[in-house]
Amino acid sequence: MKRKVVVFGLSISSSWGNGHATTYRGLLRELAKRGHEVTFVECDVPWYRENRDLPNPEFCNLIFYRSTEELKTLEVLKDADFAIVGSYVPNGCIVGDWVLRTATCPVAFYDIDTPVTLAKLDREDYEYIEPSLI
């Protein structure tokens, strides 16, 4: 059964200084091979924009946004079957809260840096995830 999967992640378009890109590329490529419609939503930040090595992935739709206000105008969650918010997403708490309030499908948090995330939560450093989103 084909599913519509929407992923909000740090970056898939640039692997420059970013180990998340290779993980997302592998995961999304495999989801697409299984027939799922995959969309990756990425904040368009200068350091990744200037170092893109995969600006047009063949295995997913890639959507850029420049602010959380712009993100909230996108209809990327319409008809989604599953949504994922990843670790280190810029303004991740705002993004995560918006996804949870907007999505009509299941939502998951995908943590690529679990030890870092747990340490940040222990220090009450809520850079991209906070207890209310878990």
Side-chain angles (χ1 to χ4, degrees):
M1 173 183 267
K2 182 178 179 176
R3 301 284 185 186
K4 182 177 176 185
V5 180
V6 181
V7 180
F8 300 82
L10 178 61
S11 179
I12 199 170
S13 69
S14 174
S15 60
W16 179 80
N18 166 25
H20 292 221
T22 54
T23 301
Y24 282 127
R25 290 173 184 181
L27 174 64
L28 274 54
R29 184 179 292 111
E30 292 304 312
L31 287 170
K33 279 184 186 177
R34 286 166 175 75
H36 301 296
E37 178 186 338
V38 183
T39 299
F40 191 87
V41 185
E42 176 177 331
C43 189
D44 186 21
V45 294
W47 49 91
Y48 291 141
R49 183 182 325 120
E50 295 165 6
N51 295 285
R52 289 199 174 117
D53 56 342
L54 188 66
N56 299 301
E58 60 191 41
F59 51 86
C60 72
N61 301 313
L62 176 55
I63 297 174
F64 294 102
Y65 65 95
R66 291 187 183 235
S67 68
T68 53
E69 291 77 24
E70 180 183 353
L71 172 66
K72 292 175 183 180
T73 68
L74 302 176
E75 294 189 11
V76 294
L77 291 169
K78 185 179 181 181
D79 303 323
D81 295 300
F82 190 65
I84 299 170
V85 179
S87 53
Y88 276 98
V89 169
N91 296 304
C93 293
I94 295 169
V95 173
D97 180 65
W98 175 77
V99 171
L100 284 171
R101 286 185 294 103
T102 306
T104 59
C105 61
V107 177
F109 176 66
Y110 183 54
D111 195 353
I112 296 175
D113 301 299
T114 305
V116 173
T117 299
L118 291 174
K120 289 171 87 54
L121 287 169
D122 195 45
R123 293 190 312 269
E124 298 182 1
D125 176 355
Y126 306 138
E127 178 184 359
Y128 54 85
I129 188 78
E130 60 187 33
S132 67
L133 297 173
I134 298 174

